[in-house]
């Protein structure tokens, strides 16, 4: 039973989301000039970087002139930890958010009230696109604290006038009780956790589609169309993608509309470029590469040409939903999270797509990369889905071989497939950990 109602969706800010391309470019150029000068005047890091590269804010005559300016990376943000990239006076800071720092020194960003207003506006646009209205209930099961996920969804819901339930992540039994006893219309969390919630309902004999949910915004990790299909079929909802980075603003930088043919970027606030991650050249429209963002209106921590490492492409055609804002396609991987095995580059998403297309498998898996002798080896651990496993499939060894062949067809190399007992592969109540690399590179 699909409870999503297309008539509920709407455009939150038609003036900005439906601008002509000419008007948008004019607005972007005006704001870009102001943002680059603001960063140069107020952040010593930018001033030193631009002086070193012989560029100045005055060199910005056209949008394309942004290519004259150097990129910044995660390493630059780590070197300026904690607050050397902040442009606003400390007395104007209203919140501070941070990345987890699991791969190194965390990125810390200060937010002014203007930044919080932009953030709320951006996520409100996304929530409107899934059908959130005033008086709806939005269950926010992203993490709160320094993580941006929960806060962005809450601010967007409140901007619309909806009731935000700040559940945060974890305590799955409590999540389930609230979804049953205090029915939410929409859910915001990671897609892997939403699948885990569906599994948890099923273990209690409850059909997830009996829950009142009509839609949800799922993000904070890469996911596939196959996961979208599973979420929509299990809950009877519209599952839409939301994208963001703490470094840029948080969730809401771009969001799917109900057409689901790319995530609309709030490009009046965040200017995108696609570059070749090797040559660093800006690529033409439609080509796939690394997406780079420049903030056009942020005042706390402006970012100019920030390399995200996320691989995608851009589509500037007007969408069927009526929005004219550029759409970024689903993230296909990260330039820094690909796995190189036996000389072959593998993205975890390629393996996920195979697993999610097989109804006999549960939506849980883990990829273990090791080097038992002198050669690398990939082990893919998967679970049989008891609810969907067909009695006619009695040859488990043959089934395991079938999975291995499909994965080999997708990535070009053989893998070891291990069939795990139901519910034995770790689930995550936040971002899912899909890859464990046991190789010693020292």
């Amino acid at each position: 039973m699909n409870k999503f109602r297309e008539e509920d969706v709407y455009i939150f800010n038609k003036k900005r989301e439906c601008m002509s391309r000419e008007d948008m470019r004019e607005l972007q150029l005006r704001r870009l000039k102001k943002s680059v000068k603001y960063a140069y005047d107020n952040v010593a890091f930018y001033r030193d970087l631009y002086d070193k590269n012989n560029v100045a804010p005055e060199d910005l005559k056209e949008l394309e002139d942004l290519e004259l300016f150097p990129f910044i990376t995660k390493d630059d943000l780590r070197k300026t930890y904690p607050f050397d990239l902040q442009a606003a006076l400390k007395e104007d800071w209203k919140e501070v958010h941070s990345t987890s720092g699991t791969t190194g020194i965390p990125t810390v960003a200060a937010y002014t009230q203007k930044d919080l207003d932009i953030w709320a506006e951006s996520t409100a646009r996304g929530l409107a696109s899934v059908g959130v209205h005033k008086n709806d209930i939005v269950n926010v099961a992203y993490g709160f604290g320094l993580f941006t996920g929960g806060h962005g969804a809450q601010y967007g819901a409140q901007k619309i006038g909806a009731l935000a339930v700040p559940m945060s992540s974890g305590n799955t039994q409590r999540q389930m009780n609230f979804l049953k006893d205090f029915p939410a219309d929409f859910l915001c969390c990671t897609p892997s956790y939403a699948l885990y919630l569906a599994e948890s309902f099923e273990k209690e004999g409850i059909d997830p589609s009996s829950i009142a949910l009509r839609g949800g915004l799922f993000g904070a990790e890469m996911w596939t169309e196959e996961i979208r299909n599973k979420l929509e079929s299990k809950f009877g909802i519209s599952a839409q993608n939301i994208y963001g980075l703490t470094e840029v603003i948080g969730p809401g930088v771009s969001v799917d509309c109900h057409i689901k043919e790319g995530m609309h970027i709030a490009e009046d606030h965040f200017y995108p470029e696609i570059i070749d991650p090797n040559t660093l050249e800006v690529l033409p429209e439609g080509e796939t590469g690394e997406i780079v963002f420049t903030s056009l209106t942020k005042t706390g921590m402006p970012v100019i040409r920030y390399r995200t490492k996320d691989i995608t492409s851009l589509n500037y055609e007007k969408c069927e939903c009526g929005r004219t804002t550029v759409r970024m396609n689903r993230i296909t991987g990260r330039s820094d999270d690909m796995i190189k095995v036996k000389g072959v580059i593998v993205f975890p998403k390629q393996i996920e797509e195979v697993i999610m297309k097989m109804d006999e498998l549960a939506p849980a898996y883990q990829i273990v990369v090791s080097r038992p002798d002198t050669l690398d080896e990939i082990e893919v651990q998967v679970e049989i889905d008891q609810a969907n496993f067909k009695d006619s499939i009695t040859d488990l060894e043959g089934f395991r071989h079938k999975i291995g062949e499909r994965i080999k067809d997708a990535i070009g190399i053989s893998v070891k497939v291990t069939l795990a007992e139901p519910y034995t592969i770790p689930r995550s109540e936040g971002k899912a950990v899909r890859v464990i690399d046991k190789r010693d590179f020292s």
Side-chain angles (χ1 to χ4, degrees), residues 13 40 62 65 75 83 158 189 194 226 233 262 276 298 310 327 339 342 350 371 374 390 407 414 421 427:
N13 187 339
Y40 183 87
E62 304 292 340
D65 292 336
D75 285 341
F83 296 122
Q158 291 171 338
C189 65
E226 287 69 32
S233 64
D276 182 313
K298 280 182 68 181
D310 291 327
R327 286 168 284 163
I339 308 167
K342 301 176 183 177
Q350 295 172 289
R371 188 175 291 157
T374 57
K390 298 173 178 58
I407 293 175
S414 298
E421 294 290 326
R427 269 61 167 173

Side-chain angles (χ1 to χ4, degrees), residues 118-390:
I118 292 166
W119 193 10
E121 160 81 19
S122 299
T123 49
R125 294 180 188 182
L127 289 165
S129 74
V130 79
V132 177
H133 285 259
K134 184 178 181 180
N135 298 327
D136 277 329
I137 299 174
V138 180
N139 184 302
V140 183
Y142 287 113
F144 279 78
L146 288 173
F147 177 58
T148 56
H151 299 273
Q154 178 176 334
Y155 297 155
Q158 291 171 338
K159 178 82 171 179
I160 287 174
L163 172 61
V165 182
M167 287 294 295
S168 192
S169 57
N171 200 332
T172 299
Q173 189 59 56
R174 182 185 63 182
Q175 299 275 6
M176 295 164 64
N177 291 341
F178 250 70
L179 287 171
K180 290 184 296 182
D181 303 336
F182 189 56
D185 301 285
F186 298 90
L187 175 65
C188 297
C189 65
T190 62
S192 58
Y193 187 54
L195 285 173
Y196 181 43
L197 279 171
E199 275 188 342
S200 300
F201 277 120
E202 289 169 344
K203 285 173 70 175
E204 290 196 359
I206 299 171
D207 182 353
S209 67
S210 68
I211 305 303
L213 294 174
R214 306 201 310 271
L217 287 182
F218 305 102
E221 62 189 22
M222 285 186 294
W223 54 300
T224 59
E225 281 300 305
E226 287 69 32
I227 288 184
R228 191 206 298 274
N229 294 337
K230 284 186 180 291
L231 284 172
E232 294 189 336
S233 64
K234 284 181 179 292
F235 283 108
I237 62 173
S238 177
Q240 293 170 214
N241 203 351
I242 183 169
Y243 171 88
L245 313 87
T246 300
E247 298 87 342
V248 179
I249 194 99
V253 173
S254 65
V255 190
D256 269 339
C257 66
H258 70 285
I259 303 298
K260 302 170 190 170
E261 293 184 356
M263 293 176 282
H264 291 270
I265 298 174
E267 59 173 325
D268 50 325
H269 296 294
F270 314 109
Y271 182 76
E273 300 171 276
I274 298 291
I275 66 167
D276 182 313
N278 297 311
T279 66
L280 304 185
E281 293 181 66
V282 175
L283 298 175
E285 177 186 341
E287 292 199 20
T288 298
E290 178 184 338
I291 192 162
V292 173
F293 279 106
T294 295
S295 61
L296 301 178
T297 51
K298 280 182 68 181
T299 55
M301 189 185 82
V303 289
I304 312 297
R305 303 200 87 193
Y306 176 67
R307 293 186 58 186
T308 67
K309 303 290 181 139
D310 291 327
I311 305 300
T312 185
S313 58
L314 297 177
N315 179 359
Y316 284 87
E317 293 181 5
K318 183 178 179 179
C319 182
E320 289 180 29
C321 72
R323 294 174 179 84
T324 57
T325 46
V326 62
R327 286 168 284 163
M328 59 183 281
N329 291 312
R330 186 182 290 279
I331 302 297
T332 58
R334 286 179 57 82
S335 59
D336 62 353
D337 99 310
M338 61 188 182
I339 308 167
K340 193 168 186 179
V341 180
K342 301 176 183 177
V344 177
I345 292 175
V346 176
F347 286 102
K349 186 176 178 183
Q350 295 172 289
I351 296 174
E352 178 180 286
E353 287 173 345
V354 173
I355 294 169
M356 294 301 166
K357 286 178 180 176
M358 301 183 73
D359 290 338
E360 303 93 338
L361 297 178
Y365 69 93
Q366 203 148 61
I367 301 167
V368 180
V369 187
S370 60
R371 188 175 291 157
D373 295 306
T374 57
L375 295 176
D376 292 338
E377 179 181 282
I378 295 181
E379 177 188 3
V380 181
Q381 300 172 357
V382 295
E383 286 182 11
I384 295 174
D385 187 337
Q386 288 184 324
N388 293 313
F389 193 70
K390 298 173 178 58

Side-chain angles (χ1 to χ4, degrees), residues 40-88:
Y40 183 87
D41 290 344
N42 293 281
V43 182
F45 169 84
Y46 282 114
R47 190 160 52 251
D48 294 342
L49 180 65
Y50 294 167
D51 289 349
K52 180 180 177 181
N53 285 272
N54 298 312
V55 291
E58 294 73 25
D59 294 327
L60 272 170
K61 303 290 193 300
E62 304 292 340
L63 284 173
E64 289 72 22
D65 292 336
L66 185 59
E67 297 177 32
L68 301 171
F69 291 76
F71 300 101
I72 65 170
T73 66
K74 177 81 77 172
D75 285 341
D76 292 318
L77 273 57
R78 289 173 181 149
K79 291 174 186 175
T80 55
Y81 172 87
F83 296 122
D84 286 352
L85 274 183
Q86 316 308 318

